[in-house]
Amino acid sequence: MSSKAKTSSAQKRRTQASARPNRSLLIVGGIGAMVLVAAVIALALSSGTPTVAEPAESPVTVGGSMLPTYESGTPDAAEGMAVPTLSGTNTQGGSMTIAPEGGAAAIVILSHTCPHCQAELPNLVAYLNDNPPPEGVDIIGLSTLINPAGANYPSADWLAREGWTYPTLLDDANSTAALALGRMGTPGFIYLANNGTVALRMIGFDPEAFGQMLEAIAP
């Protein structure tokens, strides 16, 4: 083989070799672009725009008597009263009603802006995961004091991140549901006996008291 042919062959190999890294860079660059686009989409989806309108667009309707204002450290006039019927939208966008006819239940009143809720909800979720409620006792949530400018908005996303899987009513802009339940602080707990009457109201999550009350209201 002539020296000219050898030189031509060597140049061809160098050209092919130099082309391979360029193709690799194009592939890597393409993957990087796709990852960037996916990240932008994910950021847009988590930008605080709720899937379901929060606060609820339709006002919560109240049937029956509203519970008296809760005052810690005093005899609770709500005990023995039937819980008012509350109808509205849940965190999934469906209709939801809390009513005396629902039987024994623990209503958990939560606010995505409340630092106590943020601290105690993970403990409540962990407790319920390890200690399922007795048969015949429902766990119900109420998301109230909803503020689009507040932390952890929208509340449905916050609840999902914390592992809260229980049906939860969305309050409206006037906090109608929370007012009907007695203007409690958050996290608030209302324990309903099997006949739908208030057995106890309290603020704050105490694992021992929570477990005892679920057993006490079980049918």
Side-chain angles (χ1 to χ4, degrees):
M1 180 183 296
S2 67
S3 59
K4 182 177 181 180
K6 290 180 180 179
T7 301
S8 176
S9 177
Q11 289 176 338
K12 184 177 181 180
R13 285 195 298 271
R14 285 196 297 271
T15 301
Q16 291 173 338
S18 63
R20 283 193 294 271
N22 290 337
R23 286 197 296 270
S24 298
L25 288 173
L26 288 172
I27 294 172
V28 172
I31 293 173
M34 287 188 291
V35 170
L36 179 61
V37 170
V40 170
I41 293 173
L43 180 62
L45 292 176
S46 61
S47 61
T49 302
T51 303
V52 179
E54 294 191 30
E57 288 183 326
S58 300
V60 173
T61 61
V62 181
S65 299
M66 297 173 60
L67 299 182
T69 300
Y70 176 81
E71 296 181 13
S72 179
T74 64
D76 191 355
E79 292 183 13
M81 289 182 60
V83 68
T85 298
L86 307 174
S87 298
T89 305
N90 65 22
T91 52
Q92 306 303 311
S95 59
M96 179 174 172
T97 297
I98 299 173
E101 296 78 16
I107 302 174
V108 185
I109 305 172
L110 299 162
S111 171
H112 65 96
T113 63
C114 167
H116 300 292
C117 296
Q118 294 163 19
E120 295 180 27
L121 182 58
N123 298 330
L124 173 58
V125 169
Y127 179 92
L128 287 169
N129 288 341
D130 294 336
N131 306 275
E135 186 175 352
V137 176
D138 292 328
I139 306 296
I140 302 169
L142 169 63
S143 176
T144 190
L145 301 174
I146 299 171
N147 181 4
N152 298 310
Y153 180 83
S155 67
D157 290 356
W158 167 60
L159 294 170
R161 287 196 303 272
E162 296 296 347
W164 179 261
T165 59
Y166 299 94
T168 300
L169 182 69
L170 285 173
D171 215 343
D172 56 32
N174 295 319
S175 298
T176 300
L179 294 177
L181 294 177
R183 302 171 182 264
M184 294 186 68
T186 54
F189 294 80
I190 303 178
Y191 300 95
L192 304 180
N194 195 46
N195 61 0
T197 60
V198 176
L200 181 72
R201 294 190 297 179
M202 62 184 296
I203 295 175
F205 174 61
D206 177 280
E208 184 176 359
F210 182 74
Q212 289 175 349
M213 283 307 303
L214 293 187
E215 292 292 340
I217 63 176

